[in-house]
Amino acid sequence: MQLKYAQGMEAIESKPSDGVGSLLNLENETMGSIGDFEDDVFDNLENMFKALGLCMMEIGLCLARICDRAIGGNELEQSLLESCAAKGRLIHYHSMVDSLVLREAGPKKGSSKRNPNNHARSKENLMKGANLDTIGNEVRLCEIHPNLWQQWHYDYGIFTLLTDPMFLLSSHRTTAKSEFSNSSDQECASPSGHSYLQVFHPNKNKVFMMKASPESFIVQVGESADILSKGKLRSTLHCVRRPARFENLSRETFVVFLQPAWSKTFSISDYPMEHYNPSVHHLEQAEEHYFADQDQNALTQEIQKIVPPLSARLKDGMTFAEFSRETTKQYYGGSGLQSNK
């Protein structure tokens, strides 16, 4: 669903403490409303997520205002308000078992028939410890970082706000009447107490695991905030790691992406070159610490192979629409156009 600001800068300035409801509203995309479901379990779910999303938008505006005071000007807050909208998404990271079941349940290339032994073979693959990586319901062999739910990347908006994740343990059983397995899910605590969101610290050349309480929000700084602040705010290189030995564990989180208007123009005239093209700078740092920590140096080089540098995706005078299209294209291929769903 798409979250929309009801009013512009005048409303924020004239009613700074009237609450979220007077400043913001929500408009669903054409994909439909959560309220369309007849099941009682969905009663009031749409309204709850509306309220949560609007609260997270307000937090993002407050944070932008605080950052603007620290770095000077009002570029971040104004850019958010000019965008008129943010996008809220429920993100589900499949368990390894679910991903395999989904893959095996689907038709193979050149065939529409399903194999009743597929589910058993999926379990056998897990027992053998197959190196698998999942994106949605796609499963593929992965040589680099096979235990990631989400590959290393930067968010390219201004801020990304996330709820602390919820974890579900699923149990599968195959019924006598069906070749497919039934699944029941039970909420559980994080296996390690962490969110499994990992961030890379460029100056320390280290990876850190994020830990947050269930009542808190996590805020990621995106590349647009990095660019608009002339490098005073650093975008967060991050990934989501899958816990080891928990093949039945899935991860759920609600995310609100705050971004500039599509027509917002970026200038890199005052942007630090070591951020714009960090490969040489990071390689120099890596060489200095190579013998001190060879594992971290190897990880840095692997990440550089996966994540396209900002200099390859951003040119002076680009609009945010052009930047997001080029970024999406280099990460995922294709035309770079985002889906509305």
Side-chain angles (χ1 to χ4, degrees):
M1 59 179 59
Q2 193 174 51
L3 302 160
K4 286 203 169 186
Y5 296 94
Q7 302 171 18
M9 183 74 78
E10 296 81 5
I12 298 295
E13 292 174 347
S14 62
K15 301 178 181 180
S17 59
D18 282 358
V20 177
S22 64
L23 304 179
L24 307 170
N25 67 2
L26 181 142
E27 179 179 315
N28 287 325
E29 292 181 344
T30 55
M31 60 187 291
S33 166
I34 296 175
D36 293 339
F37 289 97
E38 296 180 359
D39 197 327
D40 290 341
V41 74
F42 287 100
D43 282 354
N44 206 36
L45 182 63
E46 181 178 7
N47 290 332
M48 288 191 293
F49 278 111
K50 284 181 182 180
L52 177 60
L54 296 174
C55 173
M56 294 165 75
M57 289 178 72
E58 182 70 5
I59 291 172
L61 280 174
C62 292
L63 180 60
R65 194 176 301 128
I66 292 170
C67 291
D68 280 337
R69 290 173 185 168
I71 64 181
N74 64 343
E75 184 78 19
L76 295 176
E77 182 183 8
Q78 186 173 355
S79 295
L80 289 180
L81 291 172
E82 289 174 350
S83 73
C84 298
K87 183 163 287 188
R89 281 182 176 159
L90 280 166
I91 298 182
H92 169 71
Y93 294 93
H94 289 286
S95 70
M96 188 175 287
V97 169
D98 282 342
S99 298
L100 285 168
V101 170
L102 285 169
R103 182 190 185 188
E104 298 293 349
K108 303 296 181 183
K109 286 185 178 180
S111 173
S112 59
K113 295 182 179 180
R114 295 185 175 97
N115 189 335
N117 297 319
N118 282 339
H119 181 60
R121 187 165 61 250
S122 296
K123 285 188 174 181
E124 183 182 355
N125 286 338
L126 284 175
M127 296 299 292
K128 292 180 179 178
N131 290 329
L132 297 166
D133 188 26
T134 67
I135 297 179
N137 64 350
E138 175 188 355
V139 184
R140 66 181 188 275
L141 293 176
C142 182
E143 295 180 357
I144 301 177
H145 307 304
N147 296 318
L148 296 184
W149 261 317
Q150 177 70 48
Q151 187 56 271
W152 287 99
H153 67 285
Y154 291 100
D155 291 346
Y156 53 81
I158 292 180
F159 295 134
T160 304
L161 282 88
L162 311 93
T163 59
D164 190 62
M166 179 176 72
F167 296 90
L168 297 177
L169 269 178
S170 63
S171 58
H172 293 267
R173 64 182 185 276
T174 303
T175 64
K177 296 181 180 180
S178 173
E179 63 192 57
F180 305 108
S181 64
N182 293 331
S183 174
S184 60
D185 298 312
Q186 183 176 2
E187 184 176 350
C188 67
S190 167
S192 66
H194 293 285
S195 66
Y196 289 92
L197 172 65
Q198 291 188 322
V199 298
F200 180 78
H201 196 302
N203 294 335
K204 295 183 178 180
N205 198 36
K206 289 185 178 180
V207 174
F208 294 89
M209 184 83 81
M210 288 292 300
K211 186 175 183 180
S213 66
E215 299 82 13
S216 62
F217 294 104
I218 299 170
V219 181
Q220 299 262 40
V221 177
E223 290 180 308
S224 292
D226 196 326
I227 298 163
L228 293 171
S229 68
K230 310 296 184 185
K232 293 177 182 177
L233 294 177
R234 295 296 302 274
S235 53
T236 313
L237 180 61
H238 60 283
C239 70
V240 182
R241 178 166 291 278
R242 181 190 292 114
R245 301 183 301 278
F246 286 89
E247 292 85 1
N248 288 337
L249 190 72
S250 64
R251 183 180 185 270
E252 327 297 325
T253 186
F254 181 59
V255 184
V256 173
F257 299 94
L258 303 179
Q259 62 188 44
W262 295 112
S263 59
K264 180 70 176 180
T265 301
F266 290 142
S267 171
I268 59 173
S269 58
D270 299 326
Y271 189 73
M273 284 299 104
E274 62 269 22
H275 298 181
Y276 183 64
N277 191 6
S279 58
V280 176
H281 178 69
H282 284 170
L283 283 175
E284 290 174 351
Q285 284 187 325
E287 288 175 359
E288 292 177 4
H289 301 288
Y290 180 77
F291 294 104
D293 196 341
Q294 294 189 31
D295 290 338
Q296 287 295 337
N297 179 66
L299 176 61
T300 302
Q301 292 182 342
E302 284 186 1
I303 291 174
Q304 287 175 356
K305 294 176 183 177
I306 298 167
V307 180
L310 187 61
S311 58
R313 297 177 282 116
L314 176 67
K315 305 302 177 186
D316 194 43
M318 263 188 174
T319 64
F320 175 67
E322 293 168 335
F323 171 59
S324 65
R325 185 180 300 119
E326 186 61 31
T327 296
T328 305
K329 180 179 178 180
Q330 292 202 29
Y331 271 118
Y332 306 113
S335 66
L337 296 175
Q338 298 183 61
S339 170
N340 290 326
K341 295 185 178 181

